[in-house]
Amino acid sequence: MTLHSETLLDHACLIVHGPDQPGLVAAVTALVTRNKGNIVSLDQYSSDPEGGDFFQRVVFHRPDLLATLPDIEADIEETLRPYGMQWRLTDQSIPKRMAILASKSDHCLLELLWRHRRGELPVTIPMVISNHTNTAEDVRSFGIPFFHVPSQGPDKTEAEARILELLKGNVDFVVLARYMQIISEDFLDEIAVPVINIHHSFLPAFIGAAPYRKAHERGVKLIGATSHYVTKDLDEGPIIEQDVARVNHAMTAADLQARGAYVERAVLSRAVQWHAEDRVIRHGNHTIVFTDRP
Amino acid sequence: MTLHSETLLDHACLIVHGPDQPGLVAAVTALVTRNKGNIVSLDQYSSDPEGGDFFQRVVFHRPDLLATLPDIEADIEETLRPYGMQWRLTDQSIPKRMAILASKSDHCLLELLWRHRRGELPVTIPMVISNHTNTAEDVRSFGIPFFHVPSQGPDKTEAEARILELLKGNVDFVVLARYMQIISEDFLDEIAVPVINIHHSFLPAFIGAAPYRKAHERGVKLIGATSHYVTKDLDEGPIIEQDVARVNHAMTAADLQARGAYVERAVLSRAVQWHAEDRVIRHGNHTIVFTDRP
Amino acid sequence: MTLHSETLLDHACLIVHGPDQPGLVAAVTALVTRNKGNIVSLDQYSSDPEGGDFFQRVVFHRPDLLATLPDIEADIEETLRPYGMQWRLTDQSIPKRMAILASKSDHCLLELLWRHRRGELPVTIPMVISNHTNTAEDVRSFGIPFFHVPSQGPDKTEAEARILELLKGNVDFVVLARYMQIISEDFLDEIAVPVINIHHSFLPAFIGAAPYRKAHERGVKLIGATSHYVTKDLDEGPIIEQDVARVNHAMTAADLQARGAYVERAVLSRAVQWHAEDRVIRHGNHTIVFTDRP
Amino acid sequence: MTLHSETLLDHACLIVHGPDQPGLVAAVTALVTRNKGNIVSLDQYSSDPEGGDFFQRVVFHRPDLLATLPDIEADIEETLRPYGMQWRLTDQSIPKRMAILASKSDHCLLELLWRHRRGELPVTIPMVISNHTNTAEDVRSFGIPFFHVPSQGPDKTEAEARILELLKGNVDFVVLARYMQIISEDFLDEIAVPVINIHHSFLPAFIGAAPYRKAHERGVKLIGATSHYVTKDLDEGPIIEQDVARVNHAMTAADLQARGAYVERAVLSRAVQWHAEDRVIRHGNHTIVFTDRP
């Protein structure tokens, strides 16, 4: 659970997906072995007993990994091409670069910064960008750069351009830690890295604005939070993780919001961690998540 | 938690609701005291600090309750009329009469029958009605009458008429234990007692038919169940209780259904128990639930 | 989750454990492949990055499994002997034979019988043995033979001998479903199959008799249940599964017991299912459990 | 849930306990009413239907509370003396003064400071004292004074004397936020205010040092945390709150510790909040907790 780049030295993660075929697992494990790798963990999933899609995540330890990566990659390509599989190999000792976009609320933002400082998130955080300034001091106290990009008026083009300028080339994925601005399709196309959001309801219930108010009006007995990849369809992207908390008749919409903050920060943290550890594979509008949840 | 009519001998439950006013709690407790009652439990809720609605549930022990009920009721009426409050008083030693409507699935039905046999549900069960026959033997092995009322074809009028004939005058509330027929508005008007349903999703997500299939298609990471009072609007009635269970990408819609059965039987059982114990007050499309959940 | 022998036709489960060595996973997967098996699921665990113990569970589909089992077993033996590994191969379409020992309480017993009838437990149940008669009718209504073996007086030798007579050769494992008699070391030696117990506390808290009373005296805010393999040391065997439920100051010891029954039946059911599916590997006083929990 | 002293202006909390007697609830509610108070919430518990102990918590709103407190207290004393009841009345708009003692770990400490800053804990925090210096900057960034009192060597007398000097007269209760020093009986006698601890196990399992190591050795499937009042008997004081998290065979003792941190900070926060809101009544080695948990 606690991760340090040191302990992940010489560890690689191989993700394989494509049409399921007999012998795939053996082909991959043989590949790892002949490249002197020792398999540390292996997860797989097939969407159907026959003719389904196959997904695999293999983590292996290989001394002198860095020096041999090109050879291993060539071998993977040669081995998997006949099967028509897609793959990607990542050096687990190289943390992903994660930018955080935030607004006034600090609960998701601070939780991520704090887990990162504890060494529990295998990422670097090159920057936090907010359309408010209230969290600047907190963010900088963690040694993380803070940029203020206000988003005034209905036209977000300028603000998005400024954010893109800051992010482009500097990040491997972006986290919306209760960022209260809608991201344009153009922005998603331009940034071209995964964007993870936390929505403050149990999706697909209460899509859109003010979910706690809507939950209060409907009189639900549980509230939830959902972390998902952002797509052009608002709150419709592939779900990574969800959780709930119990509420009752005596709680106001503001109480639901206060209680929900604890669910949001936990759900987003888990989603970010699993993404950073290459545990999440997108498949259409679904996710395959090889969690380490006990 | 375990309830026996014996232990509830000489216990009364008073429900009061109406416009909140200073002195109400004192008026009610003084009323109980001057009628020689000893307050065993007291719950209250006010929807607003000022000008809200007030809800109270008081359970009190009063030796020789039965003999003094008319006097107590007269005193309540006289005391609460000036406040413009509604009230109802129930003798807790008299179990409510609960009918169960079921279809092929047995998980909710058997759970209710079994909890009843354990003495955990303060109800009598005059009958189970099903549009299938597969559970007849199980039901009768609990000593409960079973009636088969088939519902063939699109016109349910005849089936509903037969069910009404069986129920009218014989029950205090009705439980739909995964009864797979839509109840008509006329039926609800005619039966004129509360009808409690269990819906196999976390409402308001996945209203209507096939919620597990829809949940699977959306790729949610939790499934849920919701128990609510039935109104003329399908799956829109006041929610009594909800709960969820975790699922993942590897589970089929059938797996969700199998897993969900355990959530459904638990949620419905709690809703039934709280209703039977006069812990639930309907208020518009909301419920006030004075649970005994620790 | 829902299991039918039919869907498990031609499926085998291979358990491997022993000293961890590079290449083991590849050796096993290659073995499966050259025997024309298609890997359906694969779990592994190594107790230490270096020099630890290695545990693996592989389920594979192999058409005409029955006919080729001897060949596969010979290949496994030859392949794994050089590594010094222990292994066992089971045909997943052959359900394990499970006997249940019970006393007066019916909650764990009925839950197992009911899950079995639903097709969720991949076992056959050749018999239920109880030292009381109250559950006889219920058990037989599930079509399961019931035997009454009273255990009177301090000397249990005669009762245990009678039970052994019934069980020997007829069962693959035994479940104590709140069986309120202590099992002797001689009995365990004689029966020589795994015995699974449910203890009504969160072990190691409240070992021995009357755990709910002890929990009430200590004033805990959660109660628990623990399913474990029975060893000669009372309540000290390897733990398979545990869970808890919230309680409060207002609950009596009897309330804890009533509430705990729901935890017990869930915990025991999961432990039995995982054992029956060869998901549990004993290792000293620990268990490796390759659960399918999402 | 979210609490601001402003919203609690003119709110008082009356705690009553002593021998149960008929008419007590009515006497207390009449008392509140004749003092022009409007009851906002009321909880009660009787340890036994007959001859038990009675506990009550009443929160009421009374305009100009401050001016009338002496009169109300005189009336309470006069009213409750004949019943032989103990009582205490607190002005809810005056936050309790809470000192925090910490060591190297920051997870419980920072969670309390952050919840306090959000306005969720109705306390002031006059100081944090630690036997390490690593959290000084974080603490001061919340605007809270930090004092370093090292505890070297086996003799803690000097350190405790220094801590007492800082605390005496300045605090209403003390929280040990993973303070890794044993508190002496003399210290408890001297400080004479409640001391709340968080123990990193599900008590009474794994009392004393290194509970995560012990939990790992026993092979439990859940780890827990327990918040309790400190008494002279180590880890034996009255329990306020407990919770657990699931773990598995693959987690090391260090993993359990990392996972457990999240349970610890949540459990301690709830215990602190309930204590600060006068929701906890000590009764022998038990607690009556009138939680607001939904």
Side-chain angles (χ1 to χ4, degrees):
Chain A
M1 177 175 230
T2 306
L3 291 166
H4 307 276
S5 354
E6 195 192 329
T7 64
L8 291 175
L9 190 68
D10 290 333
H11 282 71
C13 177
L14 173 61
I15 301 291
V16 174
H17 59 114
D20 197 5
Q21 295 148 75
L24 259 174
V25 180
V28 170
T29 53
L31 165 80
V32 171
T33 302
R34 74 172 166 264
N35 284 282
K36 299 190 170 47
N38 193 30
I39 292 177
V40 170
S41 89
L42 192 158
D43 291 285
Q44 62 161 49
Y45 163 65
S46 185
S47 64
D48 219 276
E50 308 222 358
D53 291 295
F54 176 80
F55 304 85
Q56 192 178 34
R57 178 183 185 267
V58 187
V59 177
F60 59 91
H61 178 251
R62 204 293 181 193
D64 277 325
L65 178 68
L66 205 55
T68 52
L69 263 184
D71 290 349
I72 298 176
E73 290 178 330
D75 194 358
I76 296 174
E77 179 57 28
E78 198 173 339
T79 306
L80 292 181
R81 198 185 309 127
Y83 291 98
M85 307 303 283
Q86 292 184 283
W87 61 272
R88 68 171 191 266
L89 187 73
T90 48
D91 181 337
Q92 295 286 91
S93 70
I94 301 173
K96 289 185 174 47
R97 299 164 302 163
M98 169 179 90
I100 305 176
L101 268 61
S103 291
K104 261 193 181 163
S105 298
D106 68 356
H107 56 282
C108 287
L109 171 62
L110 293 185
E111 183 74 6
L112 289 173
L113 298 183
W114 179 73
R115 289 189 184 214
H116 175 250
R117 187 172 78 181
R118 280 167 76 81
E120 293 184 0
L121 290 181
V123 298
T124 57
I125 307 181
M127 71 189 79
V128 170
I129 300 172
S130 176
N131 57 335
H132 292 269
T133 55
N134 61 304
T135 60
E137 204 175 333
D138 274 335
V139 170
R140 288 175 181 143
S141 81
F142 281 92
I144 311 281
F146 175 93
F147 299 108
H148 177 226
V149 180
S151 38
Q152 287 144 340
D155 184 3
K156 310 294 180 197
T157 323
E158 201 183 338
E160 287 201 344
R162 173 72 182 125
I163 295 172
L164 273 172
E165 202 174 36
L166 288 163
L167 295 179
K168 278 287 268 201
N170 292 323
V171 298
D172 297 311
F173 70 109
V174 176
V175 175
L176 310 183
R178 297 289 265 114
Y179 181 64
M180 303 304 280
Q181 302 290 323
I182 292 174
I183 301 284
S184 75
E185 199 173 341
D186 283 349
F187 182 93
L188 289 175
D189 288 345
E190 272 295 316
I191 188 69
V193 297
V195 179
I196 295 175
N197 186 40
I198 177 76
H199 183 75
H200 38 316
S201 86
F202 181 80
L203 289 176
F206 311 126
I207 282 176
Y212 290 124
R213 186 177 51 71
K214 292 172 188 163
H216 188 256
E217 278 166 12
R218 179 61 185 95
V220 293
K221 300 300 185 186
L222 295 171
I223 53 167
T226 304
S227 187
H228 62 93
Y229 289 112
V230 177
T231 60
K232 64 184 173 62
D233 302 307
L234 185 68
D235 301 337
E236 297 278 9
I239 294 170
I240 306 171
E241 173 67 340
Q242 304 187 285
D243 215 337
V244 296
R246 199 163 283 288
V247 298
N248 70 13
H249 59 267
M251 296 171 80
T252 63
D255 290 334
L256 301 197
Q257 183 175 337
R259 181 71 191 82
Y262 293 92
V263 186
E264 295 166 26
R265 71 175 184 175
V267 166
L268 180 61
S269 294
R270 293 200 293 264
V272 164
Q273 176 152 3
W274 294 334
H275 176 83
E277 295 174 4
D278 294 302
R279 295 179 178 280
V280 190
I281 308 176
R282 290 172 69 158
H283 183 228
N285 208 45
H286 286 215
T287 59
I288 317 302
V289 189
F290 294 126
T291 78
D292 60 348
R293 194 190 330 256
Chain B
M1 177 175 230
T2 306
L3 292 166
H4 306 277
S5 357
E6 194 191 329
T7 64
L8 291 175
L9 191 68
D10 290 333
H11 281 72
C13 177
L14 173 61
I15 302 290
V16 174
H17 60 113
D20 196 5
Q21 295 148 78
L24 259 175
V25 180
V28 171
T29 53
L31 165 81
V32 171
T33 301
R34 76 173 165 261
N35 284 282
K36 298 190 171 47
N38 192 29
I39 291 176
V40 169
S41 90
L42 191 158
D43 291 285
Q44 61 161 51
Y45 164 64
S46 184
S47 64
D48 219 277
E50 306 222 358
D53 290 296
F54 176 81
F55 304 86
Q56 192 178 35
R57 177 182 185 268
V58 187
V59 177
F60 59 90
H61 178 250
R62 205 294 182 193
D64 278 326
L65 178 69
L66 206 55
T68 53
L69 264 184
D71 290 348
I72 297 176
E73 290 179 330
D75 194 358
I76 295 173
E77 180 57 30
E78 197 173 340
T79 306
L80 292 182
R81 198 185 309 124
Y83 291 98
M85 306 304 283
Q86 292 184 284
W87 61 272
R88 68 171 190 266
L89 187 73
T90 48
D91 182 337
Q92 295 285 92
S93 69
I94 301 174
K96 289 186 173 46
R97 299 164 302 164
M98 169 179 89
I100 304 176
L101 268 60
S103 292
K104 261 193 181 163
S105 298
D106 68 356
H107 55 282
C108 287
L109 171 62
L110 292 186
E111 183 74 6
L112 289 173
L113 297 182
W114 179 73
R115 290 189 184 214
H116 176 249
R117 187 171 77 180
R118 280 167 76 80
E120 294 184 359
L121 290 181
V123 298
T124 58
I125 307 181
M127 71 189 79
V128 170
I129 300 171
S130 177
N131 57 336
H132 292 269
T133 55
N134 61 304
T135 60
E137 203 175 333
D138 274 336
V139 169
R140 288 175 181 143
S141 81
F142 281 92
I144 311 280
F146 175 93
F147 299 106
H148 177 225
V149 180
S151 38
Q152 287 144 341
D155 185 3
K156 310 295 181 196
T157 323
E158 201 185 337
E160 287 200 344
R162 172 71 181 126
I163 295 173
L164 273 173
E165 201 174 37
L166 288 163
L167 296 179
K168 278 287 268 201
N170 292 323
V171 298
D172 297 310
F173 70 109
V174 176
V175 175
L176 310 183
R178 298 290 266 113
Y179 181 63
M180 303 305 279
Q181 303 290 323
I182 292 173
I183 301 285
S184 75
E185 199 174 340
D186 283 350
F187 182 94
L188 289 175
D189 288 345
E190 271 296 314
I191 188 70
V193 296
V195 178
I196 295 174
N197 186 39
I198 177 76
H199 183 74
H200 38 318
S201 86
F202 181 80
L203 289 176
F206 311 126
I207 282 176
Y212 289 124
R213 186 176 53 70
K214 292 173 188 162
H216 189 256
E217 277 166 12
R218 179 61 186 93
V220 293
K221 301 300 185 184
L222 295 171
I223 53 167
T226 304
S227 188
H228 62 93
Y229 288 112
V230 177
T231 61
K232 64 183 174 60
D233 302 306
L234 185 67
D235 301 337
E236 299 277 10
I239 295 170
I240 306 171
E241 173 68 339
Q242 302 187 286
D243 215 337
V244 295
R246 199 164 283 287
V247 298
N248 69 13
H249 59 267
M251 297 170 79
T252 63
D255 290 334
L256 302 197
Q257 183 175 337
R259 181 71 191 82
Y262 294 92
V263 186
E264 295 166 25
R265 70 175 185 176
V267 166
L268 180 60
S269 294
R270 293 201 291 266
V272 164
Q273 176 152 3
W274 294 334
H275 176 84
E277 295 174 4
D278 294 303
R279 295 180 178 279
V280 190
I281 308 176
R282 290 172 69 157
H283 182 227
N285 208 45
H286 285 216
T287 59
I288 317 303
V289 189
F290 294 126
T291 78
D292 59 348
R293 190 185 341 250
Chain C
M1 180 173 228
T2 307
L3 292 166
H4 306 277
S5 355
E6 194 191 329
T7 65
L8 292 175
L9 190 68
D10 290 332
H11 282 71
C13 177
L14 173 61
I15 301 290
V16 173
H17 59 115
D20 196 4
Q21 295 147 78
L24 258 174
V25 180
V28 171
T29 53
L31 165 79
V32 171
T33 300
R34 75 171 165 263
N35 284 283
K36 298 191 170 48
N38 192 29
I39 292 177
V40 169
S41 89
L42 192 160
D43 291 285
Q44 61 162 48
Y45 164 64
S46 184
S47 65
D48 220 277
E50 308 220 0
D53 291 295
F54 176 82
F55 304 85
Q56 193 178 35
R57 177 183 185 268
V58 187
V59 177
F60 59 91
H61 177 252
R62 204 302 184 186
D64 277 326
L65 179 68
L66 206 56
T68 52
L69 263 184
D71 290 347
I72 298 175
E73 290 179 329
D75 194 359
I76 296 172
E77 179 58 28
E78 198 173 337
T79 306
L80 292 181
R81 198 185 310 122
Y83 292 97
M85 306 304 283
Q86 292 184 285
W87 61 272
R88 67 171 191 268
L89 186 74
T90 48
D91 181 337
Q92 295 286 90
S93 69
I94 302 173
K96 290 186 172 48
R97 300 165 302 164
M98 169 180 90
I100 305 176
L101 268 61
S103 293
K104 263 193 180 162
S105 299
D106 68 356
H107 57 282
C108 287
L109 171 62
L110 292 185
E111 183 74 5
L112 289 173
L113 297 183
W114 180 73
R115 291 189 183 214
H116 176 248
R117 188 171 76 179
R118 279 168 75 81
E120 294 184 0
L121 289 182
V123 299
T124 57
I125 308 182
M127 71 188 80
V128 170
I129 301 171
S130 175
N131 57 334
H132 292 270
T133 56
N134 61 305
T135 60
E137 204 176 333
D138 274 334
V139 169
R140 286 173 182 147
S141 81
F142 281 92
I144 310 282
F146 175 93
F147 299 107
H148 177 227
V149 179
S151 37
Q152 286 145 342
D155 184 3
K156 309 293 180 197
T157 323
E158 201 184 335
E160 287 200 345
R162 173 73 183 123
I163 294 172
L164 272 173
E165 201 173 39
L166 288 163
L167 295 179
K168 277 289 267 205
N170 291 324
V171 298
D172 297 311
F173 70 109
V174 176
V175 175
L176 310 183
R178 298 289 266 113
Y179 181 62
M180 303 305 280
Q181 302 290 322
I182 292 173
I183 301 284
S184 75
E185 199 173 339
D186 283 349
F187 182 93
L188 288 175
D189 289 344
E190 272 296 315
I191 187 70
V193 296
V195 179
I196 295 174
N197 186 39
I198 178 75
H199 184 74
H200 37 317
S201 86
F202 182 80
L203 289 176
F206 311 126
I207 282 176
Y212 289 122
R213 187 177 51 69
K214 291 173 188 163
H216 188 256
E217 278 167 11
R218 180 60 185 94
V220 292
K221 301 299 185 186
L222 296 171
I223 53 167
T226 304
S227 187
H228 62 93
Y229 289 112
V230 176
T231 60
K232 63 184 174 59
D233 301 307
L234 185 67
D235 302 337
E236 299 276 11
I239 294 170
I240 305 171
E241 173 66 341
Q242 303 187 287
D243 215 336
V244 296
R246 198 163 282 289
V247 298
N248 70 12
H249 59 267
M251 296 170 79
T252 64
D255 290 333
L256 301 197
Q257 182 175 337
R259 181 70 190 84
Y262 294 91
V263 185
E264 295 166 24
R265 70 175 184 174
V267 165
L268 180 61
S269 294
R270 292 200 292 264
V272 164
Q273 176 152 2
W274 293 335
H275 176 84
E277 295 174 4
D278 294 302
R279 295 178 178 279
V280 190
I281 308 175
R282 290 173 68 158
H283 183 228
N285 208 46
H286 286 215
T287 59
I288 317 303
V289 189
F290 294 126
T291 78
D292 60 349
R293 193 187 336 252
Chain D
M1 179 177 229
T2 307
L3 292 166
H4 307 276
S5 356
E6 194 191 327
T7 64
L8 292 175
L9 190 69
D10 289 333
H11 281 72
C13 177
L14 172 61
I15 300 290
V16 174
H17 59 114
D20 196 5
Q21 295 148 75
L24 258 175
V25 180
V28 170
T29 53
L31 164 80
V32 171
T33 301
R34 76 171 164 264
N35 285 282
K36 299 190 170 46
N38 191 29
I39 291 176
V40 169
S41 89
L42 191 158
D43 291 285
Q44 62 162 48
Y45 165 64
S46 184
S47 65
D48 219 277
E50 307 220 0
D53 291 295
F54 176 81
F55 304 86
Q56 193 178 34
R57 177 183 185 268
V58 188
V59 177
F60 59 90
H61 177 252
R62 204 299 182 189
D64 278 325
L65 178 68
L66 205 56
T68 52
L69 263 184
D71 290 347
I72 298 175
E73 290 179 330
D75 194 358
I76 296 172
E77 179 57 29
E78 199 173 338
T79 306
L80 292 181
R81 198 186 308 124
Y83 292 98
M85 306 304 282
Q86 291 184 287
W87 62 273
R88 68 170 190 268
L89 186 74
T90 47
D91 181 337
Q92 295 286 90
S93 68
I94 301 173
K96 289 186 173 48
R97 300 165 302 164
M98 169 179 90
I100 305 176
L101 269 60
S103 293
K104 263 193 181 162
S105 299
D106 68 355
H107 56 281
C108 287
L109 171 62
L110 292 185
E111 183 74 6
L112 289 173
L113 297 183
W114 180 74
R115 291 191 183 212
H116 175 247
R117 187 171 77 179
R118 279 167 76 81
E120 294 184 359
L121 289 181
V123 298
T124 57
I125 308 182
M127 72 190 79
V128 170
I129 301 171
S130 176
N131 57 335
H132 292 269
T133 56
N134 60 305
T135 60
E137 204 175 332
D138 274 336
V139 170
R140 286 173 182 145
S141 80
F142 282 92
I144 310 281
F146 175 93
F147 299 106
H148 177 227
V149 180
S151 40
Q152 287 144 341
D155 184 2
K156 308 296 180 195
T157 323
E158 201 184 336
E160 287 200 343
R162 173 71 182 125
I163 295 172
L164 273 173
E165 201 174 39
L166 288 162
L167 296 179
K168 277 290 267 203
N170 293 323
V171 297
D172 297 311
F173 70 109
V174 176
V175 175
L176 310 183
R178 297 290 265 113
Y179 181 63
M180 303 303 281
Q181 302 290 322
I182 292 173
I183 302 285
S184 75
E185 198 173 340
D186 283 350
F187 181 95
L188 289 175
D189 288 345
E190 272 295 316
I191 187 70
V193 296
V195 179
I196 294 174
N197 186 39
I198 178 74
H199 183 74
H200 38 316
S201 86
F202 182 81
L203 289 175
F206 312 126
I207 282 176
Y212 289 123
R213 186 176 52 69
K214 291 172 188 163
H216 189 256
E217 278 167 11
R218 180 61 185 93
V220 292
K221 301 299 185 186
L222 295 170
I223 53 167
T226 304
S227 187
H228 62 93
Y229 289 112
V230 177
T231 60
K232 64 184 173 61
D233 301 307
L234 185 67
D235 302 336
E236 298 277 10
I239 294 169
I240 305 170
E241 173 67 340
Q242 303 187 287
D243 216 336
V244 295
R246 199 163 283 288
V247 298
N248 69 13
H249 59 267
M251 297 171 79
T252 63
D255 291 333
L256 301 196
Q257 183 175 336
R259 181 71 190 83
Y262 294 91
V263 185
E264 295 166 24
R265 71 176 185 174
V267 166
L268 180 60
S269 294
R270 293 200 291 265
V272 164
Q273 176 152 3
W274 294 334
H275 177 83
E277 295 174 3
D278 293 302
R279 294 179 178 280
V280 190
I281 308 175
R282 290 172 68 158
H283 182 228
N285 209 46
H286 286 215
T287 59
I288 317 303
V289 189
F290 294 126
T291 79
D292 60 349
R293 192 185 339 252

